[in-house]
Amino acid sequence: MKYLKSFIPWIAFAVVSTQADWRYSGPVGLVLAAGLLGLDRRRGRSWGTLVIELSATVFFAVLTGWSFADPGSPLRDYTGSLSDGWLALTAWGSIAVRRPFTLGIAQTTVPRAVWATPAFLRVNLVITAVWAASFTVAGLASALLLSAAPHATAALIVIKVLGFAVPAAFTLHYRRAVQARAQKAA
């Protein structure tokens, strides 16, 4: 579950954006994302293992600039949906270039001999696709909910939590199932 650390800035952003002035959610996410990115680079992690951290840093930098340049923007109420959309684009984009974002994370826990196997890529494509689908659904669901019931904060939090919890649980379960199949085959 080491990969969950990558989502700390997104989770903090979600909490701040629902509890405080939207302009402060970007800087909170930016400080956390940039801090994690810096720590991970100092620990020797390669750029390929830091796709979510890089994506977060870019998103929160843009959001910070935008929120202070246009504090009355009508999109301010949709920052949570936009963040899910950004994560979805990051995940789908990593699949499109055949470098699923989970690949770099998985390489930190799997022997190097496994990295080049088609099965390793396939497993990470599946896991990343589940994350991408979850981010897509969460972004669309929260945007629809906001347009229908803009003050449904509790429901938005549930959507955000499920948007992370469902793919995290799937990742754990699927990884264990693949490992068990591999051990049986060996």
Side-chain angles (χ1 to χ4, degrees):
M1 298 292 261
K2 288 168 84 173
Y3 62 88
L4 290 179
K5 176 183 64 85
S6 302
F7 293 108
I8 290 171
W10 298 98
I11 295 166
F13 159 78
V15 170
V16 172
S17 68
T18 60
Q19 303 299 315
D21 185 317
W22 78 290
R23 290 175 293 177
Y24 303 117
S25 61
V28 166
L30 179 58
V31 166
L32 289 170
L36 284 173
L37 183 61
L39 282 173
D40 285 335
R41 287 296 294 158
R42 278 194 291 283
R43 290 181 182 144
R45 284 189 60 194
S46 69
W47 290 110
T49 66
L50 299 170
V51 173
I52 292 297
E53 291 84 351
L54 285 165
S55 178
T57 302
V58 170
F59 177 81
F60 293 126
V62 170
L63 178 64
T64 297
W66 166 48
S67 68
F68 285 98
D70 188 10
S73 171
L75 291 178
R76 73 180 177 272
D77 296 329
Y78 293 90
T79 56
S81 300
L82 292 171
S83 71
D84 288 328
W86 181 267
L87 283 166
L89 287 173
T90 299
W92 290 121
S94 74
I95 290 170
V97 299
R98 308 258 322 143
R99 275 292 292 165
F101 81 84
T102 60
L103 199 62
I105 298 166
Q107 288 172 339
T108 66
T109 62
V110 174
R112 185 176 288 275
V114 176
W115 296 4
T117 65
F120 185 65
L121 176 61
R122 189 172 43 259
V123 165
N124 281 282
L125 283 168
V126 169
I127 291 171
T128 300
V130 169
W131 280 95
S134 185
F135 293 143
T136 302
V137 169
L140 292 172
S142 62
L144 289 171
L145 179 63
L146 282 165
S147 65
H151 300 293
T153 306
L156 289 169
I157 291 170
V158 168
I159 290 169
K160 186 62 84 175
V161 168
L162 288 175
F164 283 92
V166 168
F170 174 83
T171 299
L172 187 60
H173 172 75
Y174 187 66
R175 192 183 71 182
R176 286 179 180 160
V178 168
Q179 289 171 338
R181 277 195 308 259
Q183 287 174 348
K184 260 188 180 177

